[in-house]
Amino acid sequence: MNTYKIILITFVLVFQVAPAQSEYDRLEAEIINVEKTIVAKLTGHEPIKGRKKLSGRSSDSERKVSADFLFSSLKDIGLKAQKHEYNVKNKKGEIFKGTNVYAEIPSTNGSDEYVVIAAHYDTVKDSPGAVHNATGVAIAYYVAKKIAELKERNKSFMIVFFDHWKSNLVGTRMFTKKLKEDNYNIHSMHRADYMGWDNDEDRAIELLASNLSLESLYRIESHVPIYKRTVATPESRFFANFGYQTVTLTAELRNADNSPFVRQSADKYTTVNFKYLASTTNIVYKVMKSLAK
């Protein structure tokens, strides 16, 4: 093969690959730009309202400010944000008052079947809660934003930010009860947690799905390794008790590739690997887009 032909073939290959790479870079930058803002404000890296910065999302006042921010953020992307407020007492007499924030994204064909995208927004005391779980909130927020922009949706979608995860999943319990009582037709519930740390830089994720069909959807759309999670989370068991199909996404917990700062004061914005977060977010969005068809 002469030199001219080699140069020509090289030129053609570069021309074909460059646009695809450029498009991925553009998409990654878009996702990171949106998610950095959400994580920064929820973790106190940036003011969440005026000059106010959060140190955590544990106290009543911190959770209220967080709920108001998430409510406004959903409105900013054109969704009809709603607050599901609850005031309940457990068997010990402890009272839990909180707010779940959610928005529905209706189908365009009249379908009443809902795909739920969820994440909890509260934290343990004295933790900024970046990887646990501002990153999960960021994934749900970005995906909802993109799903709402689709011209056609053959299913309805719902984005939910749960309160009171740290208190025996009270917010999750109350909202799931609401879905059941209001006779929502739930296709599946998808949630992310512990996302944002990727020490070995393989962008791999861990997945727990309640059925093979849902698991296959993620594997088809994934460009990274997916490890099957073998231990059920409290949330997945709780959703299953209501008869709902579920998916839980996390970092590589079984390979110990998860943030060592979870539930600590060091779980900060600066520890988040936003390229990894964007990679996972893109997978979730592609799955939701396929479910919308």
Side-chain angles (χ1 to χ4, degrees):
M1 185 179 293
N2 61 40
T3 303
Y4 173 77
K5 287 184 178 179
I6 293 174
I7 293 173
L8 180 61
I9 291 171
T10 302
F11 176 79
V12 170
L13 288 174
V14 170
F15 183 78
Q16 289 176 338
V17 173
Q21 184 61 40
S22 175
E23 173 60 20
Y24 180 81
D25 290 344
R26 183 205 64 77
L27 177 61
E28 181 181 71
E30 175 190 301
I31 297 173
I32 289 175
N33 183 54
V34 172
E35 295 188 326
K36 275 189 170 181
T37 298
I38 296 294
V39 177
K41 291 182 180 297
L42 287 177
T43 58
H45 187 73
E46 293 179 2
I48 193 168
K49 183 179 181 182
R51 295 183 179 180
K52 182 177 179 59
K53 288 186 176 183
L54 294 176
S55 58
R57 301 183 300 281
S58 174
S59 69
D60 291 345
S61 60
E62 289 169 336
R63 289 177 11 256
K64 183 182 184 307
V65 170
S66 300
D68 289 344
F69 165 70
L70 294 171
F71 181 86
S72 298
S73 296
L74 291 178
K75 290 180 66 176
D76 289 344
I77 56 175
L79 300 183
K80 185 179 179 181
Q82 300 184 66
K83 291 182 178 180
H84 169 242
E85 298 178 336
Y86 56 86
N87 191 336
V88 294
K89 183 188 295 186
N90 67 12
K91 294 179 180 179
K92 296 180 180 179
E94 299 171 313
I95 296 176
F96 298 94
K97 183 178 181 181
T99 305
N100 297 314
V101 180
Y102 71 104
E104 297 181 17
I105 307 173
S107 66
T108 57
N109 70 344
S111 172
D112 69 345
E113 189 175 31
Y114 281 82
V115 177
V116 179
I117 312 161
H120 74 84
Y121 69 84
D122 64 318
T123 66
V124 298
K125 188 177 180 181
D126 299 325
S127 175
V131 169
H132 188 55
N133 185 35
T135 52
V137 171
I139 289 173
Y141 178 79
Y142 179 84
V143 171
K145 177 180 182 295
K146 299 302 289 185
I147 288 296
E149 294 171 359
L150 294 177
K151 292 182 179 180
E152 293 185 2
R153 292 181 297 273
N154 293 325
K155 288 184 179 66
S156 294
F157 289 78
M158 183 186 295
I159 178 172
V160 189
F161 301 124
F162 294 127
D163 196 356
H164 269 133
W165 167 87
K166 63 181 175 59
S167 302
N168 200 24
L169 307 177
V170 172
T172 305
R173 291 172 183 270
M174 296 308 297
F175 195 82
T176 310
K177 182 181 178 183
K178 166 186 165 54
L179 292 178
K180 204 70 174 179
E181 290 176 346
D182 292 349
N183 293 315
Y184 275 91
N185 179 13
I186 304 298
H187 172 275
S188 53
M189 302 184 76
H190 305 247
R191 53 177 294 276
D193 208 344
Y194 300 101
M195 200 62 71
W197 181 273
D198 186 29
N199 197 48
D200 61 10
E201 298 186 349
D202 64 353
R203 300 196 178 185
I205 57 179
E206 205 166 297
L207 177 146
L208 174 67
S210 59
N211 65 56
L212 186 58
S213 177
L214 287 174
E215 180 180 330
S216 296
L217 275 178
Y218 280 87
R219 293 192 181 280
I220 289 169
E221 300 297 347
S222 178
H223 54 280
V224 303
I226 292 184
Y227 298 103
K228 190 168 183 176
R229 185 177 172 88
T230 57
V231 180
T233 62
E235 293 93 332
S236 60
R237 289 195 296 266
F238 185 72
F239 294 147
N241 288 340
F242 278 84
Y244 297 146
Q245 301 299 320
T246 69
V247 171
T248 297
L249 295 173
T250 67
E252 290 179 76
L253 302 185
R254 77 171 188 175
N255 291 327
D257 192 14
N258 183 44
S259 172
F261 309 121
V262 166
R263 305 189 193 185
Q264 300 176 35
S265 59
D267 187 13
K268 298 178 180 179
Y269 170 93
T270 51
T271 70
V272 175
N273 184 327
F274 282 97
K275 284 184 174 290
Y276 173 51
L277 186 62
S279 171
T280 305
T281 302
N282 187 37
I283 294 168
V284 176
Y285 170 61
K286 289 194 293 185
V287 169
M288 295 302 123
K289 190 176 179 181
S290 70
L291 286 171
K293 291 181 179 178

